Amino acid sequence: MSQGQSQPVWRFAPSPNGYLHLGHAYSALRNFDGARRTGGLFLLRIEDIDPGRSRPEFEAAIYQDLDWLGISWETPVRRQSEHLGEYALAVDRLRNRGVVYPCFCTRGEIAEAVAGQADWPRDPDGAPLYPGTCKRMSRATREAHLMAGRHAAMRLDMADACARLEQTLGWREFGEGDECRDVRAEPQVWGDVVIARRDTPTSYHLAVVIDDALQGVTDIARGMDLFHATSVHRLLQALLDLPAPDYRHHRLILDAGGQKLSKSRGSPALRDLRAGGATPDDIRRMVGL
Ligand code: GLU
Protein backbone atom coordinates (compact mmCIF):
# COMPACT_ATOMS: atom_id res chain seq x y z
CA MET A 1 0.00 0.00 0.00
CA SER A 2 1.27 3.50 -0.80
CA GLN A 3 2.50 5.57 2.08
CA GLY A 4 0.14 8.05 3.65
CA GLN A 5 -3.05 6.15 2.88
CA SER A 6 -4.75 4.37 5.72
CA GLN A 7 -7.25 2.04 4.06
CA PRO A 8 -6.14 -0.36 1.35
CA VAL A 9 -8.18 -0.25 -1.85
CA TRP A 10 -8.26 -3.29 -4.16
CA ARG A 11 -10.02 -3.58 -7.46
CA PHE A 12 -11.11 -5.95 -10.19
CA ALA A 13 -11.36 -4.29 -13.61
CA PRO A 14 -12.89 -6.55 -16.27
CA SER A 15 -13.65 -5.53 -19.84
CA PRO A 16 -17.25 -6.38 -20.78
CA ASN A 17 -16.36 -8.04 -24.06
CA GLY A 18 -17.21 -11.61 -23.13
CA TYR A 19 -18.42 -13.74 -20.25
CA LEU A 20 -16.15 -14.16 -17.25
CA HIS A 21 -14.17 -17.42 -17.08
CA LEU A 22 -12.07 -19.08 -14.39
CA GLY A 23 -9.15 -16.71 -14.99
CA HIS A 24 -11.37 -13.74 -14.20
CA ALA A 25 -12.76 -15.56 -11.16
CA TYR A 26 -9.24 -16.04 -9.82
CA SER A 27 -8.38 -12.33 -10.29
CA ALA A 28 -11.64 -11.16 -8.77
CA LEU A 29 -11.31 -13.50 -5.77
CA ARG A 30 -7.66 -12.57 -5.18
CA ASN A 31 -8.65 -8.90 -4.98
CA PHE A 32 -11.80 -9.50 -2.96
CA ASP A 33 -10.04 -11.80 -0.48
CA GLY A 34 -7.11 -9.35 -0.31
CA ALA A 35 -9.46 -6.51 0.57
CA ARG A 36 -11.15 -8.57 3.26
CA ARG A 37 -7.84 -9.75 4.72
CA THR A 38 -6.43 -6.23 4.94
CA GLY A 39 -9.59 -4.47 6.09
CA GLY A 40 -9.70 -2.70 2.74
CA LEU A 41 -12.26 -1.76 0.15
CA PHE A 42 -13.00 -3.80 -2.94
CA LEU A 43 -13.93 -1.88 -6.09
CA LEU A 44 -15.30 -3.15 -9.36
CA ARG A 45 -14.46 -1.14 -12.46
CA ILE A 46 -15.93 -1.71 -15.90
CA GLU A 47 -13.27 -1.16 -18.57
CA ASP A 48 -15.53 -0.42 -21.51
CA ILE A 49 -13.52 2.04 -23.58
CA ASP A 50 -13.80 -0.18 -26.63
CA PRO A 51 -17.23 0.64 -28.10
CA GLY A 52 -16.93 -2.05 -30.74
CA ARG A 53 -16.40 -4.90 -28.29
CA SER A 54 -18.20 -3.85 -25.09
CA ARG A 55 -21.77 -5.10 -24.72
CA PRO A 56 -24.41 -4.34 -22.04
CA GLU A 57 -25.25 -8.03 -21.71
CA PHE A 58 -21.64 -8.87 -20.81
CA GLU A 59 -21.61 -6.08 -18.24
CA ALA A 60 -24.86 -7.36 -16.72
CA ALA A 61 -23.35 -10.86 -16.63
CA ILE A 62 -20.27 -9.56 -14.76
CA TYR A 63 -22.51 -8.31 -11.94
CA GLN A 64 -24.47 -11.57 -11.84
CA ASP A 65 -21.42 -13.82 -11.92
CA LEU A 66 -19.53 -11.92 -9.22
CA ASP A 67 -22.60 -11.80 -7.03
CA TRP A 68 -23.02 -15.55 -7.45
CA LEU A 69 -19.38 -16.04 -6.43
CA GLY A 70 -20.15 -14.23 -3.18
CA ILE A 71 -18.29 -11.07 -4.13
CA SER A 72 -19.67 -7.65 -3.20
CA TRP A 73 -18.27 -4.28 -4.22
CA GLU A 74 -18.49 -0.60 -3.46
CA THR A 75 -20.93 1.50 -5.43
CA PRO A 76 -21.22 3.39 -7.67
CA VAL A 77 -19.26 1.28 -10.11
CA ARG A 78 -16.93 3.30 -12.30
CA ARG A 79 -17.53 2.74 -16.00
CA GLN A 80 -14.67 4.04 -18.09
CA SER A 81 -16.90 5.06 -21.00
CA GLU A 82 -18.42 7.72 -18.72
CA HIS A 83 -15.05 9.36 -18.05
CA LEU A 84 -13.55 9.94 -21.49
CA GLY A 85 -13.17 13.67 -20.75
CA GLU A 86 -10.89 12.89 -17.80
CA TYR A 87 -8.63 10.79 -19.99
CA ALA A 88 -8.55 13.51 -22.64
CA LEU A 89 -7.31 15.96 -19.99
CA ALA A 90 -4.50 13.60 -19.10
CA VAL A 91 -3.54 13.37 -22.79
CA ASP A 92 -3.42 17.18 -22.84
CA ARG A 93 -1.11 17.17 -19.84
CA LEU A 94 1.23 14.76 -21.58
CA ARG A 95 1.03 16.84 -24.73
CA ASN A 96 1.93 19.96 -22.74
CA ARG A 97 4.93 18.11 -21.40
CA GLY A 98 5.91 17.43 -24.99
CA VAL A 99 6.10 13.64 -24.62
CA VAL A 100 3.37 12.62 -27.07
CA TYR A 101 2.89 13.07 -30.79
CA PRO A 102 0.03 12.42 -33.19
CA CYS A 103 0.25 9.29 -35.33
CA PHE A 104 -1.79 8.81 -38.50
CA CYS A 105 -0.53 5.33 -39.38
CA THR A 106 -2.92 2.44 -39.73
CA ARG A 107 -1.96 -1.01 -38.47
CA GLY A 108 -1.55 -2.07 -42.09
CA GLU A 109 0.86 0.78 -42.80
CA ILE A 110 2.96 -0.15 -39.79
CA ALA A 111 3.04 -3.79 -40.89
CA GLU A 112 4.09 -2.67 -44.35
CA ALA A 113 6.84 -0.40 -42.99
CA VAL A 114 8.47 -3.30 -41.14
CA ALA A 115 7.64 -6.03 -43.67
CA GLY A 116 10.54 -8.18 -44.75
CA GLN A 117 12.60 -7.27 -41.70
CA ALA A 118 12.41 -10.52 -39.79
CA ASP A 119 14.48 -9.23 -36.91
CA TRP A 120 12.40 -6.08 -36.44
CA PRO A 121 11.96 -5.67 -32.64
CA ARG A 122 8.63 -6.62 -31.12
CA ASP A 123 6.89 -5.60 -27.92
CA PRO A 124 6.12 -8.10 -25.12
CA ASP A 125 2.75 -8.82 -26.73
CA GLY A 126 4.45 -9.68 -30.02
CA ALA A 127 3.48 -6.59 -32.01
CA PRO A 128 6.20 -4.86 -34.05
CA LEU A 129 7.57 -1.74 -32.37
CA TYR A 130 6.33 1.42 -34.00
CA PRO A 131 8.86 2.44 -36.68
CA GLY A 132 8.57 6.16 -35.86
CA THR A 133 7.11 7.29 -39.20
CA CYS A 134 4.92 10.05 -37.72
CA LYS A 135 7.53 11.06 -35.17
CA ARG A 136 9.79 12.08 -38.03
CA MET A 137 7.00 13.83 -39.93
CA SER A 138 7.58 17.53 -40.61
CA ARG A 139 5.48 19.99 -38.69
CA ALA A 140 3.92 21.25 -41.95
CA THR A 141 2.82 17.76 -43.02
CA ARG A 142 1.45 17.03 -39.56
CA GLU A 143 -0.53 20.24 -39.57
CA ALA A 144 -1.84 19.58 -43.07
CA HIS A 145 -3.12 16.15 -41.93
CA LEU A 146 -4.80 17.66 -38.90
CA MET A 147 -6.32 20.49 -40.96
CA ALA A 148 -7.67 17.91 -43.40
CA GLY A 149 -9.52 16.35 -40.46
CA ARG A 150 -7.50 13.15 -40.36
CA HIS A 151 -7.90 11.43 -37.03
CA ALA A 152 -4.71 10.73 -35.18
CA ALA A 153 -3.79 8.39 -32.38
CA MET A 154 -1.44 9.83 -29.77
CA ARG A 155 1.82 8.01 -29.15
CA LEU A 156 4.23 8.39 -26.30
CA ASP A 157 7.69 9.45 -27.38
CA MET A 158 9.30 6.70 -25.33
CA ALA A 159 12.92 7.84 -25.57
CA ASP A 160 11.99 11.38 -24.66
CA ALA A 161 9.66 10.33 -21.85
CA CYS A 162 12.29 8.03 -20.32
CA ALA A 163 14.92 10.77 -20.59
CA ARG A 164 12.76 13.00 -18.38
CA LEU A 165 12.70 10.57 -15.49
CA GLU A 166 14.58 11.74 -12.48
CA GLN A 167 15.04 8.30 -10.98
CA THR A 168 14.93 4.69 -12.07
CA LEU A 169 11.41 3.40 -12.15
CA GLY A 170 10.19 0.26 -10.50
CA TRP A 171 7.37 -1.25 -8.52
CA ARG A 172 6.70 -3.43 -5.51
CA GLU A 173 5.72 -6.88 -6.73
CA PHE A 174 4.14 -9.49 -4.45
CA GLY A 175 3.29 -12.13 -7.04
CA GLU A 176 1.23 -14.95 -5.50
CA GLY A 177 2.34 -14.47 -1.94
CA ASP A 178 3.26 -11.95 0.69
CA GLU A 179 6.89 -11.57 -0.15
CA CYS A 180 7.77 -8.28 -1.80
CA ARG A 181 10.42 -7.84 -4.45
CA ASP A 182 11.38 -4.69 -6.29
CA VAL A 183 10.97 -4.93 -10.04
CA ARG A 184 12.70 -2.51 -12.33
CA ALA A 185 10.38 -1.03 -14.96
CA GLU A 186 11.46 -1.34 -18.59
CA PRO A 187 8.93 0.72 -20.54
CA GLN A 188 11.31 1.13 -23.47
CA VAL A 189 10.61 -2.48 -24.54
CA TRP A 190 7.22 -1.21 -25.74
CA GLY A 191 8.56 1.51 -28.01
CA ASP A 192 6.27 4.47 -28.75
CA VAL A 193 3.04 3.04 -27.31
CA VAL A 194 -0.37 4.43 -28.22
CA ILE A 195 -1.82 6.26 -25.26
CA ALA A 196 -4.92 7.60 -26.99
CA ARG A 197 -6.45 5.63 -29.82
CA ARG A 198 -7.81 7.07 -32.98
CA ASP A 199 -11.41 6.20 -32.12
CA THR A 200 -11.36 7.12 -28.43
CA PRO A 201 -9.35 9.65 -26.43
CA THR A 202 -7.60 7.02 -24.34
CA SER A 203 -6.07 3.57 -24.34
CA TYR A 204 -6.03 0.69 -21.87
CA HIS A 205 -2.71 1.93 -20.44
CA LEU A 206 -3.81 5.50 -19.85
CA ALA A 207 -7.32 4.77 -18.56
CA VAL A 208 -6.11 2.16 -16.08
CA VAL A 209 -3.48 4.49 -14.64
CA ILE A 210 -5.86 7.46 -14.32
CA ASP A 211 -8.59 5.35 -12.74
CA ASP A 212 -6.32 3.58 -10.28
CA ALA A 213 -5.12 6.99 -9.08
CA LEU A 214 -8.55 8.64 -9.00
CA GLN A 215 -10.03 5.70 -7.13
CA GLY A 216 -7.18 5.60 -4.62
CA VAL A 217 -6.27 2.03 -5.56
CA THR A 218 -3.38 0.75 -3.45
CA ASP A 219 -3.27 -2.95 -4.37
CA ILE A 220 -3.72 -4.60 -7.74
CA ALA A 221 -3.93 -8.34 -8.27
CA ARG A 222 -4.10 -9.18 -11.96
CA GLY A 223 -2.86 -11.80 -14.38
CA MET A 224 0.78 -12.35 -15.25
CA ASP A 225 -0.14 -11.45 -18.84
CA LEU A 226 -0.17 -7.80 -17.70
CA PHE A 227 3.21 -7.94 -15.95
CA HIS A 228 5.11 -6.15 -18.72
CA ALA A 229 2.35 -3.56 -19.21
CA THR A 230 3.08 -2.43 -15.65
CA SER A 231 6.30 -0.84 -16.92
CA VAL A 232 4.22 1.48 -19.13
CA HIS A 233 1.83 2.13 -16.25
CA ARG A 234 4.69 3.12 -13.97
CA LEU A 235 6.05 5.47 -16.61
CA LEU A 236 2.67 7.16 -17.08
CA GLN A 237 2.27 7.42 -13.31
CA ALA A 238 5.64 9.13 -13.08
CA LEU A 239 4.89 11.53 -15.97
CA LEU A 240 1.51 12.44 -14.50
CA ASP A 241 2.65 12.59 -10.85
CA LEU A 242 0.41 9.75 -9.75
CA PRO A 243 1.12 7.33 -6.90
CA ALA A 244 2.28 3.75 -7.52
CA PRO A 245 0.09 0.94 -6.19
CA ASP A 246 1.54 -2.41 -5.12
CA TYR A 247 1.17 -5.13 -7.76
CA ARG A 248 0.45 -8.82 -7.49
CA HIS A 249 0.77 -10.44 -10.90
CA HIS A 250 -0.67 -13.87 -10.46
CA ARG A 251 -0.39 -17.15 -12.33
CA LEU A 252 -2.73 -17.62 -15.26
CA ILE A 253 -5.40 -20.25 -15.10
CA LEU A 254 -4.74 -22.62 -17.99
CA ASP A 255 -6.94 -25.09 -19.80
CA ALA A 256 -6.21 -28.80 -20.04
CA GLY A 257 -3.96 -28.14 -23.03
CA GLY A 258 -1.87 -25.64 -21.04
CA GLN A 259 -3.30 -22.66 -22.93
CA LYS A 260 -4.49 -19.41 -21.39
CA LEU A 261 -8.28 -19.42 -21.04
CA SER A 262 -10.07 -17.36 -23.62
CA LYS A 263 -13.42 -17.03 -25.20
CA SER A 264 -12.00 -17.56 -28.66
CA ARG A 265 -10.60 -20.94 -27.63
CA GLY A 266 -14.01 -21.91 -26.27
CA SER A 267 -13.04 -21.91 -22.59
CA PRO A 268 -16.13 -22.48 -20.45
CA ALA A 269 -17.62 -19.34 -18.95
CA LEU A 270 -18.44 -19.22 -15.24
CA ARG A 271 -22.10 -19.26 -16.16
CA ASP A 272 -21.64 -22.50 -18.11
CA LEU A 273 -19.95 -24.07 -15.09
CA ARG A 274 -22.77 -22.82 -12.90
CA ALA A 275 -25.38 -24.24 -15.29
CA GLY A 276 -23.49 -27.53 -15.12
CA GLY A 277 -23.99 -27.62 -11.34
CA ALA A 278 -20.73 -26.07 -10.05
CA THR A 279 -20.96 -24.14 -6.78
CA PRO A 280 -18.94 -21.04 -5.83
CA ASP A 281 -16.79 -23.30 -3.61
CA ASP A 282 -16.12 -25.56 -6.60
CA ILE A 283 -14.93 -22.48 -8.52
CA ARG A 284 -12.56 -21.57 -5.67
CA ARG A 285 -11.19 -25.11 -5.72
CA MET A 286 -10.85 -25.13 -9.49
CA VAL A 287 -8.66 -22.02 -9.39
CA GLY A 288 -6.61 -23.37 -6.50
CA LEU A 289 -7.95 -21.19 -3.70
N1 GLU B 1 -9.49 -4.69 -18.25
C1 GLU B 1 -8.35 -5.56 -18.25
C2 GLU B 1 -8.78 -6.94 -18.68
O1 GLU B 1 -9.94 -7.28 -18.59
C3 GLU B 1 -7.67 -5.68 -16.90
C4 GLU B 1 -7.01 -4.45 -16.49
C5 GLU B 1 -6.18 -4.51 -15.22
O2 GLU B 1 -6.47 -5.30 -14.32
O3 GLU B 1 -5.30 -3.70 -15.12
O4 GLU B 1 -7.92 -7.68 -19.10
Side-chain angles (χ1 to χ4, degrees), residues 248-260:
R248 292 169 166 75
H249 291 95
H250 60 67
R251 62 190 158 81
L252 299 178
I253 307 294
L254 305 177
D255 65 18
Q259 299 278 336
K260 192 184 147 192

Side-chain angles (χ1 to χ4, degrees), residues 11 13-15 24 45 47 204 208 212 220-222 226 233:
R11 54 69 161 177
S15 306
H24 296 109
R45 182 166 76 224
E47 301 215 320
Y204 159 63
V208 90
D212 287 336
I220 298 176
R222 62 183 179 190
L226 292 171
H233 301 173

